[in-house]
């Protein structure tokens, strides 16, 4: 029983870590991967109910952010930084434009588009690739 409890606790911690990595701050205890989970979208401050299952599948958890054009440059840059990418040039103006940024984790310079970030893709190809690899090995 104790081992099961530990496993559940670890699963919960991993769930919260994954949610935070996607830019959502959990507002209630982890309900399960396929259940709607009350969270705050850090970038826009909205309260949303994404499913962890969807977030892990690469779906964006915040419809408002997924659908809308960016309001201003500062918000766009904040959004990029929220996924760990430091912009190296001013926001190009449209969410689908490629934008030169440096990954704060590994230093890789890439050109992610903001609309891909909003769809839940990570900003850094190199980091995403590495994460995929380590999952394969595990
Ligand atoms: Zn949002
Ligand atoms: Zn990286």
């Amino acid at each position: 029983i104790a081992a099961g409890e530990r496993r559940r606790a670890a699963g919960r911690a991993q769930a919260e870590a994954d949610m935070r990595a996607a830019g959502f701050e959990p507002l209630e205890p982890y309900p399960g991967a396929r259940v709607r989970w009350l969270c705050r979208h850090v970038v826009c401050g909205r309260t949303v109910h994404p499913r962890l299952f969807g977030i892990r599948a690469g779906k964006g958890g915040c419809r408002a952010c997924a659908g809308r054009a960016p309001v201003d440059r500062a918000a766009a840059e904040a959004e990029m930084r929220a996924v760990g990418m430091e912009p190296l040039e001013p926001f190009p103006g449209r969410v689908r434009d490629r934008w030169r940024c440096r990954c704060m984790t590994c230093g890789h310079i890439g050109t992610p588009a903001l609309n891909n970030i909003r769809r839940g893709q990570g900003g850094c190809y190199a980091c995403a690739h590495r994460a995929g690899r380590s999952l394969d090995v595990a």
Side-chain angles (χ1 to χ4, degrees):
I1 293 163
E5 291 269 290
R6 262 204 305 279
R7 211 165 29 239
R8 262 197 299 282
R12 207 154 52 220
Q14 185 59 52
E16 289 179 4
D18 285 357
M19 225 26 156
R20 291 207 178 93
F24 298 94
E25 183 62 34
L27 298 178
E28 63 179 10
Y30 175 50
R34 289 171 187 271
V35 180
R36 292 192 168 275
W37 189 1
L38 185 68
C39 295
R40 190 166 50 85
H41 192 210
V42 177
V43 167
C44 69
R46 283 184 182 82
T47 302
V48 291
H49 304 81
R51 292 182 178 90
L52 182 62
F53 179 68
I55 297 291
R56 283 183 174 157
K59 292 188 184 132
C62 179
R63 237 178 261 167
C65 284
R68 300 269 163 74
V71 191
D72 64 328
R73 210 156 89 186
E77 289 181 5
E79 231 176 303
M80 209 42 121
R81 289 200 184 97
V83 296
M85 299 297 285
E86 181 66 34
L88 297 177
E89 60 185 14
F91 177 54
R94 288 175 308 180
V95 290
R96 63 174 183 275
D97 287 342
R98 296 257 156 209
W99 190 3
R100 226 165 86 92
C101 299
R102 189 180 54 233
C103 175
M104 293 184 231
T105 305
C106 72
H108 176 83
I109 292 175
T111 53
L114 199 57
N115 63 352
N116 288 335
I117 302 284
R118 289 179 176 183
R119 273 188 218 121
Q121 285 178 18
C124 177
Y125 172 79
C127 282
H129 194 67
R130 202 167 15 219
R133 274 283 169 77
S134 65
L135 280 180
D136 287 344
V137 172

